[in-house]
Coordinates of all heavy atoms in Angstrom, one line a residue:
M1 N 4.5 -71.7 8.3 CA 3.5 -70.8 7.8 C 4.0 -69.4 8.0 O 4.4 -69.0 9.1 CB 2.2 -71.0 8.5 CG 1.1 -70.2 7.9 SD -0.5 -71.0 8.3 CE -1.2 -69.7 9.2
Q2 N 4.0 -68.6 7.0 CA 4.5 -67.2 7.1 C 3.4 -66.3 7.6 O 2.2 -66.4 7.3 CB 5.0 -66.7 5.8 CG 6.3 -67.1 5.4 CD 6.8 -66.4 4.1 OE1 6.0 -66.2 3.2 NE2 8.0 -66.0 4.0
S3 N 3.8 -65.3 8.4 CA 2.9 -64.3 9.0 C 3.0 -63.1 8.1 O 4.1 -62.6 7.8 CB 3.3 -64.0 10.4 OG 2.6 -62.9 10.8
A4 N 1.9 -62.6 7.6 CA 1.9 -61.4 6.8 C 1.9 -60.2 7.6 O 1.1 -60.0 8.5 CB 0.6 -61.4 5.9
T5 N 3.0 -59.4 7.4 CA 3.1 -58.2 8.2 C 2.7 -57.0 7.3 O 3.1 -56.9 6.1 CB 4.5 -57.9 8.7 OG1 5.4 -58.3 7.7 CG2 4.7 -58.7 10.0
L6 N 1.8 -56.2 7.7 CA 1.3 -55.1 7.0 C 2.0 -53.8 7.4 O 2.3 -53.6 8.6 CB -0.3 -55.0 7.2 CG -1.1 -56.1 6.7 CD1 -2.5 -55.9 7.1 CD2 -1.0 -56.3 5.2
T7 N 2.2 -53.0 6.4 CA 2.7 -51.7 6.8 C 1.6 -50.7 7.3 O 0.4 -51.0 7.1 CB 3.4 -51.0 5.5 OG1 2.3 -50.7 4.6 CG2 4.4 -51.9 4.9
I8 N 2.0 -49.6 7.9 CA 1.1 -48.7 8.4 C 0.2 -48.1 7.2 O -1.0 -48.0 7.3 CB 1.8 -47.5 9.1 CG1 2.4 -48.0 10.4 CG2 0.8 -46.4 9.5 CD1 1.4 -48.7 11.4
G9 N 0.9 -47.9 6.1 CA 0.2 -47.4 4.9 C -0.9 -48.4 4.4 O -2.0 -48.0 4.0
E10 N -0.6 -49.7 4.4 CA -1.6 -50.7 4.1 C -2.7 -50.7 5.1 O -3.9 -50.9 4.7 CB -0.9 -52.1 4.0 CG 0.1 -52.2 2.8 CD 0.9 -53.5 2.9 OE1 1.3 -53.9 4.0 OE2 1.2 -54.0 1.8
L11 N -2.4 -50.6 6.3 CA -3.4 -50.6 7.4 C -4.3 -49.3 7.2 O -5.6 -49.4 7.3 CB -2.8 -50.6 8.8 CG -2.2 -51.8 9.2 CD1 -1.4 -51.6 10.5 CD2 -3.2 -53.0 9.4
E12 N -3.7 -48.2 6.9 CA -4.5 -47.0 6.7 C -5.4 -47.1 5.5 O -6.5 -46.6 5.5 CB -3.5 -45.8 6.5 CG -2.9 -45.3 7.8 CD -2.1 -44.1 7.6 OE1 -1.1 -44.1 6.9 OE2 -2.4 -43.0 8.3
A13 N -4.9 -47.7 4.4 CA -5.7 -47.8 3.2 C -6.9 -48.7 3.4 O -8.0 -48.5 2.8 CB -4.8 -48.4 2.1
K14 N -6.8 -49.6 4.3 CA -7.9 -50.5 4.6 C -8.8 -50.2 5.8 O -9.7 -50.9 6.2 CB -7.4 -52.0 4.7 CG -6.9 -52.5 3.4 CD -6.5 -53.9 3.4 CE -6.0 -54.3 2.0 NZ -5.7 -55.7 1.9
Y15 N -8.5 -49.0 6.4 CA -9.2 -48.6 7.6 C -10.7 -48.6 7.4 O -11.4 -49.1 8.3 CB -8.7 -47.2 8.0 CG -9.4 -46.6 9.2 CD1 -9.1 -47.0 10.5 CD2 -10.4 -45.6 9.0 CE1 -9.8 -46.4 11.5 CE2 -11.0 -45.0 10.0 CZ -10.8 -45.4 11.3 OH -11.4 -44.9 12.4
P16 N -11.2 -48.1 6.3 CA -12.7 -48.1 6.1 C -13.3 -49.5 6.1 O -14.4 -49.8 6.6 CB -12.9 -47.4 4.8 CG -11.7 -46.6 4.5 CD -10.6 -47.3 5.2
L17 N -12.5 -50.5 5.6 CA -13.0 -51.9 5.6 C -13.0 -52.4 7.0 O -14.0 -53.2 7.3 CB -12.1 -52.7 4.7 CG -12.1 -52.5 3.2 CD1 -11.1 -53.3 2.5 CD2 -13.5 -52.8 2.7
Y18 N -12.0 -52.1 7.8 CA -12.0 -52.6 9.2 C -13.2 -52.0 10.0 O -13.8 -52.8 10.8 CB -10.7 -52.3 9.9 CG -9.5 -52.8 9.2 CD1 -8.3 -52.0 9.1 CD2 -9.5 -54.0 8.5 CE1 -7.2 -52.5 8.4 CE2 -8.3 -54.5 7.8 CZ -7.2 -53.7 7.8 OH -6.1 -54.1 7.1
C19 N -13.5 -50.8 9.8 CA -14.6 -50.1 10.4 C -15.9 -50.8 10.0 O -16.8 -51.0 10.8 CB -14.6 -48.6 10.2 SG -13.3 -47.8 11.0
K20 N -16.0 -51.0 8.7 CA -17.3 -51.6 8.2 C -17.5 -53.0 8.7 O -18.6 -53.4 9.1 CB -17.2 -51.7 6.6 CG -18.4 -52.2 6.0 CD -18.4 -52.1 4.5 CE -19.7 -52.6 3.9 NZ -19.6 -52.5 2.4
A21 N -16.4 -53.8 8.8 CA -16.5 -55.1 9.4 C -16.9 -55.1 10.8 O -17.8 -55.8 11.2 CB -15.1 -55.8 9.3
M22 N -16.4 -54.1 11.6 CA -16.8 -54.0 13.0 C -18.3 -53.6 13.1 O -19.0 -54.2 13.9 CB -15.9 -53.0 13.7 CG -16.3 -52.9 15.2 SD -15.4 -51.7 16.1 CE -13.8 -52.5 16.3
K23 N -18.7 -52.7 12.3 CA -20.1 -52.3 12.3 C -21.0 -53.4 11.9 O -22.1 -53.6 12.6 CB -20.3 -51.1 11.4 CG -21.7 -50.5 11.5 CD -21.8 -49.2 10.7 CE -21.1 -48.1 11.3 NZ -21.5 -46.8 10.7
L24 N -20.6 -54.2 10.9 CA -21.5 -55.4 10.6 C -21.5 -56.4 11.7 O -22.6 -57.0 12.0 CB -20.9 -56.0 9.3 CG -21.1 -55.2 8.0 CD1 -20.3 -55.9 6.9 CD2 -22.6 -55.1 7.7
L25 N -20.4 -56.6 12.3 CA -20.4 -57.6 13.5 C -21.3 -57.1 14.6 O -22.0 -57.9 15.2 CB -19.0 -57.8 13.9 CG -18.1 -58.6 13.0 CD1 -16.6 -58.5 13.4 CD2 -18.6 -60.1 12.9
L26 N -21.2 -55.8 14.9 CA -22.1 -55.2 15.9 C -23.6 -55.3 15.5 O -24.4 -55.6 16.4 CB -21.7 -53.8 16.2 CG -20.4 -53.6 16.9 CD1 -20.0 -52.1 16.9 CD2 -20.6 -54.0 18.4
R27 N -23.9 -55.0 14.3 CA -25.3 -55.2 13.8 C -25.8 -56.6 14.0 O -27.0 -56.8 14.2 CB -25.4 -54.7 12.4 CG -25.5 -53.2 12.2 CD -25.8 -52.9 10.8 NE -25.5 -51.5 10.5 CZ -25.2 -51.0 9.3 NH1 -25.3 -51.8 8.3 NH2 -25.0 -49.8 9.2
D28 N -24.9 -57.5 13.8 CA -25.3 -59.0 13.9 C -25.4 -59.4 15.3 O -25.7 -60.5 15.6 CB -24.3 -59.8 13.2 CG -24.4 -59.7 11.7 OD1 -25.4 -59.2 11.2 OD2 -23.4 -60.2 11.0
G29 N -25.1 -58.5 16.3 CA -25.2 -58.8 17.7 C -24.0 -59.5 18.3 O -24.2 -60.1 19.4
Q30 N -22.9 -59.4 17.7 CA -21.7 -59.9 18.3 C -21.3 -59.2 19.6 O -21.5 -58.0 19.8 CB -20.5 -59.8 17.4 CG -20.6 -60.7 16.2 CD -20.7 -62.2 16.4 OE1 -20.0 -62.7 17.3 NE2 -21.5 -62.9 15.7
K31 N -20.9 -60.0 20.6 CA -20.5 -59.4 21.9 C -19.2 -58.8 21.8 O -18.3 -59.2 21.0 CB -20.5 -60.6 23.0 CG -21.8 -61.3 23.1 CD -22.8 -60.4 23.8 CE -24.1 -61.2 24.0 NZ -25.3 -60.3 24.1
P32 N -18.9 -57.8 22.7 CA -17.6 -57.2 22.7 C -16.4 -58.2 22.9 O -15.4 -58.0 22.3 CB -17.6 -56.2 23.9 CG -19.1 -55.9 24.0 CD -19.8 -57.1 23.6
E33 N -16.6 -59.2 23.7 CA -15.6 -60.2 23.9 C -15.2 -60.9 22.6 O -14.0 -61.2 22.4 CB -16.0 -61.3 24.9 CG -16.4 -60.7 26.3 CD -17.8 -60.2 26.4 OE1 -18.7 -60.7 25.7 OE2 -18.0 -59.1 27.0
R34 N -16.2 -61.2 21.8 CA -16.0 -61.8 20.5 C -15.3 -60.8 19.5 O -14.4 -61.2 18.8 CB -17.3 -62.3 19.9 CG -17.2 -62.9 18.6 CD -17.1 -64.4 18.6 NE -17.3 -64.9 17.3 CZ -16.3 -65.4 16.6 NH1 -15.0 -65.4 17.0 NH2 -16.5 -65.8 15.4
L35 N -15.7 -59.6 19.6 CA -15.1 -58.6 18.7 C -13.6 -58.4 18.9 O -12.8 -58.2 18.0 CB -15.8 -57.2 18.9 CG -17.1 -57.0 18.1 CD1 -17.7 -55.7 18.5 CD2 -16.9 -57.1 16.6
R36 N -13.2 -58.5 20.2 CA -11.8 -58.3 20.5 C -10.9 -59.4 20.0 O -9.7 -59.2 20.0 CB -11.7 -58.2 22.1 CG -12.2 -56.9 22.6 CD -12.0 -56.8 24.1 NE -12.7 -55.6 24.6 CZ -13.9 -55.6 25.2 NH1 -14.6 -56.8 25.4 NH2 -14.4 -54.5 25.6
R37 N -11.5 -60.4 19.5 CA -10.7 -61.5 18.9 C -10.7 -61.5 17.4 O -10.2 -62.5 16.8 CB -11.2 -62.9 19.5 CG -11.0 -63.0 21.0 CD -11.3 -64.4 21.5 NE -12.5 -65.0 20.8 CZ -13.6 -65.4 21.5 NH1 -13.7 -65.2 22.8 NH2 -14.6 -65.9 20.8
T38 N -11.2 -60.5 16.8 CA -11.3 -60.4 15.3 C -10.0 -59.8 14.7 O -9.3 -59.0 15.4 CB -12.5 -59.7 14.9 OG1 -12.5 -58.3 15.3 CG2 -13.8 -60.4 15.4
V39 N -9.9 -60.0 13.4 CA -8.8 -59.4 12.7 C -9.0 -57.9 12.6 O -8.0 -57.1 12.7 CB -8.7 -60.0 11.3 CG1 -7.7 -59.2 10.4 CG2 -8.3 -61.5 11.3
C40 N -10.2 -57.5 12.4 CA -10.5 -56.0 12.2 C -10.1 -55.3 13.5 O -9.5 -54.2 13.5 CB -11.9 -55.7 11.8 SG -13.2 -56.1 13.0
W41 N -10.4 -55.9 14.7 CA -10.1 -55.3 16.0 C -8.5 -55.2 16.1 O -8.0 -54.1 16.5 CB -10.6 -56.1 17.1 CG -10.4 -55.5 18.5 CD1 -9.3 -55.5 19.2 CD2 -11.4 -54.8 19.2 NE1 -9.5 -54.8 20.4 CE2 -10.8 -54.4 20.4 CE3 -12.7 -54.4 19.0 CZ2 -11.4 -53.6 21.4 CZ3 -13.4 -53.7 20.0 CH2 -12.7 -53.3 21.1
E42 N -7.9 -56.2 15.8 CA -6.4 -56.3 15.9 C -5.8 -55.2 15.0 O -4.9 -54.5 15.4 CB -5.9 -57.6 15.4 CG -4.4 -57.8 15.3 CD -4.0 -59.0 14.6 OE1 -4.6 -60.1 14.8 OE2 -2.9 -59.0 13.9
R43 N -6.3 -55.0 13.8 CA -5.7 -54.1 12.9 C -6.0 -52.6 13.3 O -5.2 -51.7 13.2 CB -6.1 -54.4 11.5 CG -5.7 -55.8 11.1 CD -5.1 -55.9 9.8 NE -4.5 -57.2 9.6 CZ -4.7 -58.0 8.6 NH1 -5.5 -57.6 7.6 NH2 -4.2 -59.2 8.5
L44 N -7.3 -52.4 13.8 CA -7.6 -51.1 14.3 C -6.8 -50.7 15.5 O -6.4 -49.6 15.7 CB -9.1 -51.0 14.6 CG -10.1 -51.0 13.4 CD1 -11.5 -51.3 13.9 CD2 -10.0 -49.7 12.7
E45 N -6.5 -51.7 16.3 CA -5.7 -51.5 17.5 C -4.2 -51.1 17.1 O -3.6 -50.2 17.7 CB -5.6 -52.8 18.3 CG -5.3 -52.6 19.8 CD -5.6 -53.8 20.6 OE1 -5.1 -54.9 20.2 OE2 -6.2 -53.7 21.6
K46 N -3.7 -51.8 16.1 CA -2.4 -51.5 15.6 C -2.3 -50.0 15.1 O -1.3 -49.3 15.3 CB -1.9 -52.4 14.5 CG -1.5 -53.8 15.0 CD -1.1 -54.7 13.8 CE -0.8 -56.1 14.3 NZ -0.4 -57.0 13.3
L47 N -3.3 -49.6 14.3 CA -3.4 -48.3 13.8 C -3.4 -47.3 15.0 O -2.7 -46.2 14.9 CB -4.6 -48.1 12.9 CG -4.4 -48.3 11.5 CD1 -5.7 -48.3 10.7 CD2 -3.4 -47.4 10.8
H48 N -4.2 -47.5 15.9 CA -4.4 -46.6 17.1 C -3.0 -46.5 17.9 O -2.6 -45.4 18.2 CB -5.5 -47.1 18.0 CG -5.5 -46.3 19.3 ND1 -5.9 -45.0 19.3 CD2 -5.3 -46.6 20.6 CE1 -5.9 -44.5 20.6 NE2 -5.5 -45.5 21.3
H49 N -2.4 -47.6 18.1 CA -1.1 -47.6 18.8 C 0.0 -46.9 18.0 O 0.9 -46.3 18.6 CB -0.7 -49.0 19.2 CG -1.5 -49.6 20.3 ND1 -1.5 -49.1 21.6 CD2 -2.3 -50.6 20.3 CE1 -2.3 -49.8 22.3 NE2 -2.8 -50.7 21.6
S50 N -0.1 -47.0 16.7 CA 1.0 -46.4 15.8 C 0.7 -44.9 15.6 O 1.6 -44.1 15.6 CB 1.0 -47.1 14.5 OG 1.3 -48.4 14.6
L51 N -0.6 -44.6 15.5 CA -1.0 -43.2 15.2 C -2.2 -42.8 16.1 O -3.3 -42.6 15.6 CB -1.3 -43.0 13.7 CG -0.2 -43.4 12.7 CD1 -0.8 -43.6 11.3 CD2 0.9 -42.4 12.7
P52 N -2.0 -42.7 17.4 CA -3.1 -42.4 18.3 C -3.8 -41.1 18.1 O -5.0 -41.0 18.4 CB -2.4 -42.5 19.7 CG -1.0 -42.2 19.4 CD -0.7 -42.7 18.1
R53 N -3.2 -40.1 17.5 CA -3.9 -38.9 17.3 C -4.8 -38.9 16.0 O -5.7 -38.1 15.9 CB -2.9 -37.7 17.1 CG -2.1 -37.4 18.4 CD -1.2 -36.3 18.3 NE -0.5 -36.0 19.5 CZ 0.3 -35.0 19.7 NH1 0.5 -34.1 18.8 NH2 0.8 -34.9 20.9
Q54 N -4.5 -39.8 15.2 CA -5.3 -39.9 13.9 C -6.4 -41.0 14.0 O -7.4 -40.9 13.3 CB -4.4 -40.3 12.7 CG -3.5 -39.1 12.4 CD -2.5 -39.5 11.3 OE1 -1.9 -40.5 11.3 NE2 -2.5 -38.7 10.2
Y55 N -6.2 -42.0 14.8 CA -7.1 -43.1 14.9 C -7.6 -43.4 16.3 O -6.7 -43.6 17.2 CB -6.5 -44.4 14.2 CG -6.2 -44.2 12.8 CD1 -4.9 -43.9 12.4 CD2 -7.2 -44.3 11.8 CE1 -4.6 -43.7 11.0 CE2 -6.9 -44.1 10.5 CZ -5.6 -43.8 10.1 OH -5.3 -43.6 8.8
K56 N -8.9 -43.5 16.5 CA -9.4 -43.9 17.8 C -9.2 -45.3 18.1 O -8.9 -46.1 17.2 CB -11.0 -43.6 17.8 CG -11.4 -42.2 17.6 CD -12.9 -42.1 17.6 CE -13.3 -40.7 17.5 NZ -13.0 -39.9 16.4
S57 N -9.2 -45.6 19.4 CA -9.0 -47.0 19.8 C -10.2 -47.8 19.3 O -11.3 -47.3 19.2 CB -8.9 -47.1 21.3 OG -10.2 -46.9 21.9
P58 N -10.0 -49.1 19.1 CA -11.2 -50.0 18.7 C -12.3 -49.9 19.8 O -13.5 -50.0 19.4 CB -10.6 -51.4 18.6 CG -9.1 -51.2 18.6 CD -8.8 -49.9 19.2
E59 N -11.9 -49.8 21.0 CA -12.9 -49.7 22.1 C -13.8 -48.5 21.9 O -15.0 -48.6 22.0 CB -12.2 -49.7 23.4 CG -13.0 -49.9 24.6 CD -13.4 -51.4 24.8 OE1 -12.5 -52.3 24.6 OE2 -14.5 -51.7 25.1
R60 N -13.2 -47.4 21.6 CA -13.9 -46.2 21.4 C -14.8 -46.2 20.1 O -15.9 -45.8 20.1 CB -13.0 -45.0 21.3 CG -13.7 -43.6 21.2 CD -14.5 -43.3 22.4 NE -15.2 -42.1 22.2 CZ -16.5 -41.9 22.4 NH1 -17.3 -42.9 22.9 NH2 -17.1 -40.8 22.1
L61 N -14.2 -46.8 19.1 CA -15.0 -47.0 17.8 C -16.2 -47.8 18.1 O -17.3 -47.6 17.6 CB -14.1 -47.6 16.7 CG -13.1 -46.7 16.1 CD1 -12.1 -47.5 15.2 CD2 -13.7 -45.6 15.3
M62 N -16.0 -48.9 18.8 CA -17.1 -49.8 19.1 C -18.2 -49.0 19.9 O -19.4 -49.2 19.5 CB -16.6 -51.0 20.0 CG -17.7 -52.0 20.3 SD -17.2 -53.4 21.3 CE -16.7 -52.5 22.8
Q63 N -17.9 -48.2 20.8 CA -18.9 -47.4 21.6 C -19.6 -46.5 20.7 O -20.9 -46.4 20.7 CB -18.2 -46.7 22.7 CG -17.7 -47.5 23.8 CD -16.8 -46.7 24.8 OE1 -16.4 -45.6 24.5 NE2 -16.4 -47.3 25.9
I64 N -18.9 -45.8 19.8 CA -19.5 -44.9 18.8 C -20.5 -45.6 17.9 O -21.6 -45.2 17.7 CB -18.5 -44.1 18.0 CG1 -17.7 -43.2 18.9 CG2 -19.1 -43.4 16.9 CD1 -16.4 -42.6 18.3
M65 N -20.0 -46.8 17.4 CA -20.9 -47.5 16.5 C -22.1 -48.1 17.2 O -23.2 -48.1 16.6 CB -20.1 -48.6 15.8 CG -19.0 -48.1 14.8 SD -18.0 -49.5 14.2 CE -16.8 -48.6 13.3
Q66 N -21.9 -48.6 18.4 CA -23.1 -49.1 19.1 C -24.1 -48.0 19.4 O -25.3 -48.3 19.2 CB -22.6 -49.7 20.5 CG -21.9 -51.0 20.4 CD -21.4 -51.5 21.7 OE1 -20.9 -50.7 22.5 NE2 -21.4 -52.8 21.9
S67 N -23.7 -46.8 19.7 CA -24.7 -45.7 19.9 C -25.4 -45.3 18.6 O -26.5 -45.0 18.6 CB -24.0 -44.5 20.6 OG -23.1 -43.9 19.7
E68 N -24.6 -45.4 17.5 CA -25.2 -45.1 16.2 C -26.3 -46.2 15.8 O -27.4 -45.8 15.3 CB -24.2 -45.1 15.1 CG -23.3 -43.9 15.1 CD -22.2 -44.0 14.0 OE1 -22.1 -45.0 13.3 OE2 -21.3 -43.1 14.0
I69 N -26.0 -47.4 16.1 CA -26.9 -48.5 15.8 C -28.1 -48.4 16.6 O -29.3 -48.5 16.2 CB -26.2 -49.9 16.0 CG1 -25.1 -50.1 14.9 CG2 -27.2 -51.0 16.0 CD1 -24.2 -51.2 15.1
K70 N -27.9 -48.1 17.9 CA -29.1 -47.9 18.8 C -30.0 -46.8 18.4 O -31.2 -46.9 18.4 CB -28.6 -47.7 20.3 CG -28.1 -49.0 20.9 CD -27.7 -48.7 22.3 CE -27.0 -49.9 22.9 NZ -26.5 -49.7 24.3
S71 N -29.4 -45.6 18.0 CA -30.2 -44.5 17.6 C -30.9 -44.8 16.3 O -32.0 -44.3 16.1 CB -29.3 -43.2 17.5 OG -28.5 -43.3 16.3
K72 N -30.4 -45.6 15.4 CA -31.1 -45.9 14.2 C -32.3 -46.8 14.5 O -33.3 -46.8 13.8 CB -30.1 -46.5 13.2 CG -29.2 -45.5 12.5 CD -28.4 -46.1 11.5 CE -27.4 -45.1 10.9 NZ -26.5 -45.6 9.9
K73 N -32.1 -47.7 15.5 CA -33.2 -48.6 15.9 C -34.4 -47.8 16.5 O -35.5 -48.1 16.3 CB -32.7 -49.7 16.8 CG -31.9 -50.7 16.2 CD -31.5 -51.8 17.2 CE -30.7 -52.9 16.5 NZ -30.2 -53.9 17.4
V74 N -34.0 -46.8 17.2 CA -35.0 -45.9 17.9 C -35.7 -45.0 16.9 O -36.9 -44.8 16.9 CB -34.4 -45.1 19.1 CG1 -35.4 -44.1 19.6 CG2 -33.9 -46.0 20.1
N75 N -34.9 -44.4 16.0 CA -35.4 -43.5 15.0 C -35.2 -44.1 13.6 O -34.3 -43.6 12.9 CB -34.7 -42.1 15.1 CG -34.9 -41.5 16.4 OD1 -36.0 -41.6 17.0 ND2 -33.8 -40.9 17.0
P76 N -36.0 -45.0 13.1 CA -35.8 -45.6 11.8 C -36.0 -44.7 10.7 O -36.6 -43.8 10.6 CB -36.7 -46.8 11.8 CG -37.6 -46.8 12.9 CD -37.1 -45.7 13.8

């Protein structure tokens, strides 16, 4: 079975999709341990390691998204 290797350009192009996937998983109540095993986490991590000044770590993105979700629940 061949492993598909994505270029940084391809990862960058799909960055909004990876963020959206993470946000949907968080809204569904997925635990951080489960998120760390997802494709979106892996790809966000690759982007962060390749271009750390441009992309936040998946850990930091998760924290930001969790706080956004909590604030929306408090202030609908």
Side-chain angles (χ1 to χ4, degrees):
M1 188 157 117
Q2 279 186 321
S3 168
T5 39
L6 298 172
T7 65
I8 294 300
E10 291 169 325
L11 289 172
E12 285 184 297
K14 293 187 179 183
Y15 176 78
L17 291 174
Y18 304 141
C19 290
K20 184 176 181 177
M22 182 182 282
K23 190 175 279 191
L24 289 172
L25 290 168
L26 285 168
R27 281 190 196 155
D28 288 346
Q30 293 296 323
K31 303 287 183 203
E33 301 81 36
R34 176 93 169 106
L35 278 176
R36 288 182 186 99
R37 297 189 317 242
T38 62
V39 171
C40 65
W41 186 282
E42 174 192 325
R43 303 229 171 127
L44 288 167
E45 201 168 53
K46 284 181 184 179
L47 270 173
H48 173 67
H49 287 295
S50 299
L51 302 165
R53 292 184 181 187
Q54 291 177 307
Y55 297 98
K56 292 177 177 64
S57 71
E59 195 73 41
R60 182 67 184 128
L61 286 171
M62 180 179 66
Q63 292 169 350
I64 292 168
M65 289 176 189
Q66 284 174 327
S67 68
E68 287 175 3
I69 291 167
K70 285 179 186 176
S71 69
K72 285 183 182 178
K73 285 182 181 178
V74 172
N75 303 318

